[in-house]
Amino acid sequence: MHRLLLLSCLWLLTVPPVSSIFQRPTGSPAPPHLQYLLEPLHSTVHTQRGATATLPCVLRALPRNYRVKWSKVEPANYGENIIIITNGLYHKNYGPLSPRVHLRHSHRYDASLTITNVALEDEGRYRCQLVNGLDDESVSLTLHLEGVVFPYQPSNGRYKFNYHEAKKACEQQDSRLATYQQLYKAWTEGLDWCNAGWILDGTVHYPIINSREPCGGRLLLPGVRTYGTRDKQKDRFDAFCFTSALQGQVYFIRGHLNFKEAGQACRNHGAAIAKVGQLYSAWKFSQLDRCDGGWLADGSVRYPITTPRERCGGLPDPGVRSFGFPSKQLRAYGTYCFVG
């Protein structure tokens, strides 16, 4: 009897393949008024990397033989990745988020999704769908990570990355390719950069605050300028990376060190030489402010400034300053270390 009940419940949780296509045809009617699901009070949930976030989904009534399906919307291919399905009694997790998600289930009408140890790739749009025969309905929510966008190029100069190389480069620096929304928000907060870079959806852009001749000319209005969709294999640009709060600390060690000695100095303290994304995160979230250039894991030398002053580069705005990629044999800098 118990075996039969378990098999029946698992049958209810049977789902189509993890990636399925959905797109409402142009001109189709708007979704019907919600009968069973409550419209969320706030459609955006703000969080940081490493935190625990809950996306609300509450039923006003429990229909018979229903299922609730949570999925993450993937706008690049008009698809969705299923995360969890429940019939109120049993649930089943799917995909890479599986180890970090569970249903809050604070009462029998609660189907809210809780994500633990939020990661950079968790940002995006989620859908809570009530599957109930002909009466299917859903609500959409956005998980927004507070963070910082930074432009990135390799040691051999500008416009060297194809899309896949740009994606890997950001991940190696404790970040990921920024979304258009993240880049746009960074522009509204003052990001002004003349080099075009890849973003997550495979398009290429550059944000301009001060119109000038080398950056499209003085007559073009400020904004996020776009090159549109480019060939991910053949076309080459820089990258715009996004990172969020750290689960650890970045600190500076003084010295006249070459690159190899810088890495060893961090290891001597039980730490690792910091990555570029970690330094940006410490500058953004921990207000790290130092006038000293220090080695980072990619071989670059940078320093974070939260209080601009004449003797620290002379620039009027806060930011992470760069000395570029000096010779790794040069003994002229300290090092920034990261301990988790």
Side-chain angles (χ1 to χ4, degrees), residues 125-197:
R125 192 156 65 92
Y126 291 76
R127 172 174 295 173
C128 176
Q129 182 179 10
L130 176 73
V131 182
N132 183 36
L134 298 177
D135 297 322
D136 292 0
E137 55 188 65
S138 65
V139 295
S140 293
L141 301 107
T142 299
L143 185 66
H144 172 75
L145 269 69
E146 301 294 340
V148 57
V149 172
F150 61 94
Y152 189 74
Q153 58 183 221
S155 59
N156 57 342
R158 68 195 289 254
Y159 293 178
K160 300 296 183 181
F161 294 136
N162 67 24
Y163 172 82
H164 306 288
E165 292 164 344
K167 185 173 182 290
K168 182 178 179 180
C170 288
E171 291 167 356
Q172 289 175 337
Q173 296 309 313
D174 193 49
S175 59
R176 72 189 297 244
L177 279 176
T179 65
Y180 181 82
Q181 290 78 11
Q182 290 165 345
L183 182 62
Y184 184 87
K185 183 174 184 290
W187 169 72
T188 66
E189 295 172 349
L191 182 60
D192 183 279
W193 197 255
C194 204
N195 292 349

Side-chain angles (χ1 to χ4, degrees), residues 77-277:
N77 58 8
Y78 303 104
E80 61 178 21
N81 289 328
I82 295 171
I83 299 170
I84 194 168
I85 294 182
T86 180
N87 62 6
L89 295 175
Y90 299 90
H91 70 274
K92 188 173 177 64
N93 292 17
Y94 297 87
L97 266 174
S98 180
R100 295 189 290 111
V101 297
H102 63 270
L103 296 171
R104 183 174 63 180
H105 215 61
S106 58
H107 51 79
R108 68 194 190 105
Y109 297 97
D110 185 12
S112 301
L113 182 73
T114 295
I115 305 174
T116 60
N117 194 22
V118 171
L120 294 176
E121 60 269 20
D122 296 343
E123 174 157 299
R125 192 156 65 92
Y126 291 76
R127 172 174 295 173
C128 176
Q129 182 179 10
L130 176 73
V131 182
N132 183 36
L134 298 177
D135 297 322
D136 292 0
E137 55 188 65
S138 65
V139 295
S140 293
L141 301 107
T142 299
L143 185 66
H144 172 75
L145 269 69
E146 301 294 340
V148 57
V149 172
F150 61 94
Y152 189 74
Q153 58 183 221
S155 59
N156 57 342
R158 68 195 289 254
Y159 293 178
K160 300 296 183 181
F161 294 136
N162 67 24
Y163 172 82
H164 306 288
E165 292 164 344
K167 185 173 182 290
K168 182 178 179 180
C170 288
E171 291 167 356
Q172 289 175 337
Q173 296 309 313
D174 193 49
S175 59
R176 72 189 297 244
L177 279 176
T179 65
Y180 181 82
Q181 290 78 11
Q182 290 165 345
L183 182 62
Y184 184 87
K185 183 174 184 290
W187 169 72
T188 66
E189 295 172 349
L191 182 60
D192 183 279
W193 197 255
C194 204
N195 292 349
W198 294 100
I199 63 172
L200 188 60
D201 64 2
T203 57
V204 175
H205 308 266
Y206 64 103
I208 294 296
I209 298 289
N210 302 305
S211 299
R212 49 202 187 273
E213 287 304 328
C215 305
R218 298 180 183 276
L219 298 181
L220 285 180
L221 293 174
V224 179
R225 312 249 174 94
T226 180
Y227 285 13
T229 302
R230 312 299 291 190
D231 189 307
K232 291 183 178 181
Q233 292 288 354
K234 297 179 181 179
D235 290 327
R236 295 188 173 270
F237 298 94
D238 291 345
F240 286 106
C241 305
F242 171 83
T243 192
S244 186
L246 284 174
Q247 292 181 284
Q249 179 186 6
V250 172
Y251 62 93
F252 181 74
I253 294 179
R254 289 184 178 275
H256 296 280
L257 310 170
N258 63 30
F259 177 72
K260 184 177 180 179
E261 292 166 342
Q264 187 60 52
C266 291
R267 290 191 292 272
N268 291 343
H269 286 76
I273 189 168
K275 299 177 180 180
V276 177

Side-chain angles (χ1 to χ4, degrees), residues 261-314:
E261 292 166 342
Q264 187 60 52
C266 291
R267 290 191 292 272
N268 291 343
H269 286 76
I273 189 168
K275 299 177 180 180
V276 177
Q278 292 167 341
L279 185 66
Y280 269 92
S281 180
W283 165 74
K284 175 74 172 181
F285 292 99
S286 302
Q287 287 73 55
L288 184 63
D289 184 291
R290 288 207 67 101
C291 211
D292 306 280
W295 292 102
L296 295 176
D298 66 340
S300 65
V301 173
R302 307 173 195 249
Y303 62 101
I305 297 295
T306 56
T307 305
R309 45 209 187 272
E310 189 63 34
R311 298 179 64 180
C312 295

Side-chain angles (χ1 to χ4, degrees), residues 27-71:
S28 63
H33 177 73
L34 295 176
Q35 180 180 357
Y36 293 104
L37 293 177
L38 290 174
E39 190 73 36
L41 187 61
H42 301 288
S43 60
T44 300
V45 174
H46 296 266
T47 188
Q48 293 180 355
R49 178 169 55 175
T52 296
T54 297
L55 300 169
C57 183
V58 178
L59 286 72
R60 68 174 83 237
L62 300 178
R64 297 182 63 185
N65 300 323
Y66 76 96
R67 290 180 294 163
V68 170
K69 178 177 73 173
W70 273 101
S71 56

